Amino acid sequence: MDRIAAFAYTQARLQAHQGMRPDAGTWRRLDAVRDLAAFLRDARETALRPWVLGLEAGFTMHQMELALRREFGSYVALTASWQPREWQAAVDWVRHLPALPALQYLLLGKPEYPWMLADPTLQAFAHLDPDARLTYLLHSEFAPLTNTWRAGIPLPAGWRQHWKSLWPHAPKALTAPLDALADAIEEQMAAATGNPDADGWKMREDLEAQLSLAFHHHIQQPAAVFLHLALVALDVEKLRAALVDRVLFPSVDKESP
């Protein structure tokens, strides 16, 4: 089975899951629901159901974020399992992206936060002193990131470098869109960081539109898998923002008795 045929085999699943993403109407309806318990109840009746099913209104924000990170990791692993064997490791590597900010913090030798000790990804090394932490990481699944960081390469660039090393040998026509995807995300992050007055949500909407168009242009190619995961990540980011807003600024409107 050639590469295109192999991705054709998994495209039906990608298309189905792409179609299950929440649409603009779903987000508008949920945005009007200010009470957290009601928001979660209504979200369970939408395409967001898998992401909020295990959440409760009494959770702290850290508990909610942990649940979202775990669900995203599980989703990436599931998506990787659909792919041709030679691409599975590259897809699965996406699981580690949400850990980069915390990993960067811990590699700098800073003291752990209590929430890190509840995170299965971090708890094994977050409590260690900086030297022991580094030793642990050099023998863990984060070793590629730790090695590049020790060489002076920022973690996002180190993540991308290892990601590319996991790609199987393939024609440039199949790998060029992957570089374009990474470039688009990095450019958006740089623009948001470099301009504190920028409209972050408008930038994300523009990025989502760009990635959605690219997804339809790269059907039955490796790029479709990573474009889909990038779009799902944007959905999770939007959901996280809605939850943060309702946890930190709970509704003060009460129904009249």
Side-chain angles (χ1 to χ4, degrees):
M1 185 182 294
D2 62 27
R3 291 184 178 92
I4 298 298
F7 276 99
Y9 179 77
T10 65
Q11 187 65 37
R13 285 182 170 179
L14 277 181
Q15 290 287 150
H17 282 256
Q18 182 74 1
M20 289 189 291
R21 293 179 52 237
D23 59 19
T26 296
W27 288 115
R28 282 195 299 270
R29 290 192 298 274
L30 290 175
D31 189 54
V33 182
R34 293 300 311 162
D35 178 72
L36 178 59
F39 177 91
L40 291 172
R41 180 197 63 217
D42 290 357
R44 291 187 187 109
E45 302 302 318
T46 74
L48 292 167
R49 177 179 174 82
W51 301 95
V52 300
L53 194 58
L55 303 182
E56 300 293 342
F59 278 14
T60 66
M61 196 57 238
H62 291 313
Q63 288 174 313
M64 290 195 175
E65 289 186 323
L66 173 58
L68 291 177
R69 289 195 301 273
R70 294 177 72 171
E71 187 63 30
F72 181 73
S74 297
Y75 187 80
V76 172
L78 174 65
T79 305
S81 73
W82 306 335
Q83 310 312 316
R85 186 176 299 277
E86 65 270 22
W87 279 96
Q88 288 181 0
V91 176
D92 192 61
W93 184 241
V94 176
R95 280 191 304 114
H96 299 304
L97 277 172
L100 294 191
L103 187 61
Q104 175 71 74
Y105 174 89
L106 292 169
L107 279 169
L108 291 172
K110 296 183 178 181
E112 75 279 8
Y113 287 108
W115 65 263
M116 294 178 174
L117 302 179
D119 188 329
T121 301
L122 307 173
Q123 63 186 192
F125 60 90
H127 66 287
L128 301 174
D129 65 69
D131 289 339
R133 195 180 283 171
L134 183 60
T135 299
Y136 179 91
L137 288 169
L138 288 169
H139 294 86
S140 73
E141 61 185 346
F142 293 113
L145 289 169
T146 308
N147 281 316
T148 51
W149 179 81
R150 292 177 74 199
I153 299 174
L155 286 186
W159 181 92
R160 182 174 179 176
Q161 179 177 302
H162 186 65
W163 177 52
K164 294 185 69 167
S165 77
L166 295 173
W167 300 353
H169 179 71
K172 189 171 183 179
L174 293 184
T175 58
L178 302 181
D179 277 320
L181 166 61
D183 288 342
I185 293 173
E186 288 178 4
E187 288 169 8
Q188 197 265 359
M189 292 175 62
T193 303
N195 183 5
D197 296 324
D199 185 340
W201 286 116
K202 176 63 167 60
M203 294 172 67
R204 284 167 174 78
E205 287 175 359
D206 292 345
L207 178 62
E208 180 179 357
Q210 177 184 347
L211 299 183
S212 295
L213 183 62
F215 176 84
H216 294 292
H217 282 172
H218 297 294
I219 296 299
Q220 299 181 10
Q221 294 184 29
V225 182
F226 297 101
L227 286 160
H228 172 69
L229 290 177
L231 288 163
V232 169
L234 288 175
D235 291 339
V236 176
E237 181 183 41
K238 188 180 292 189
L239 174 60
R240 175 190 177 276
L243 294 171
V244 168
D245 187 31
R246 286 156 180 79
V247 170
L248 299 183
F249 307 102
S251 173
V252 295
D253 297 326
K254 303 293 182 181
E255 293 183 2
S256 301

